[in-house]
Amino acid sequence: GESLGDPIKVSDQSNVAATDIVWNGSEYVAAWTTDTGTLRVRRFAADGQPLDAEPFTIATDVETFRPSIAVTPDGVVIAYSKHDDAYGGVLRAYMRTLERRRPGG
């Protein structure tokens, strides 16, 4: 099976630009950007087994530098930046909250 040593293997493996991973007290959360500007996330148990069947997309058209994950009391916050076309394409900061998975969920 897959292990935490290669959380991105299921997809994106040939075009990963940057990664970040944290332990939030009950699970690992890995986030990465692809060279096409997609930010994806996958959660893992302490033993490295995937908790999500596949990585899931948080955002598209992001800048391809390293996403940043901060641990919160309820899970994590993932910070990233992307250009905002509504404001002339300026670079703006965004964040997404990802709650911990509940046992059995």
Side-chain angles (χ1 to χ4, degrees):
E2 287 181 281
S3 71
L4 191 59
D6 199 1
I8 302 165
K9 187 171 184 178
V10 169
S11 57
D12 302 329
Q13 62 186 358
S14 64
N15 64 346
V16 171
T19 62
D20 194 12
I21 189 166
V22 298
W23 171 255
N24 69 11
S26 61
E27 64 199 10
Y28 288 100
V29 179
W32 61 93
T33 52
T34 69
D35 58 12
T36 57
T38 301
L39 173 59
R40 299 189 27 100
V41 174
R42 197 170 191 197
R43 295 170 290 195
F44 297 85
D47 66 1
Q49 292 302 306
L51 295 172
D52 301 303
E54 286 280 331
F56 53 95
T57 299
I58 293 289
T60 57
D61 298 323
V62 302
E63 288 298 304
T64 55
F65 57 86
R66 185 175 175 224
S68 180
I69 309 174
V71 176
T72 69
D74 297 321
V76 298
V77 171
I78 302 163
Y80 59 96
S81 60
K82 61 189 284 183
H83 293 282
D84 189 337
D85 293 335
Y87 292 92
V90 298
L91 195 60
R92 297 187 67 179
Y94 295 85
M95 67 177 208
R96 288 282 303 270
T97 300
L98 183 62
E99 293 184 359
R100 283 190 180 102
R101 283 179 50 110
R102 302 294 177 234

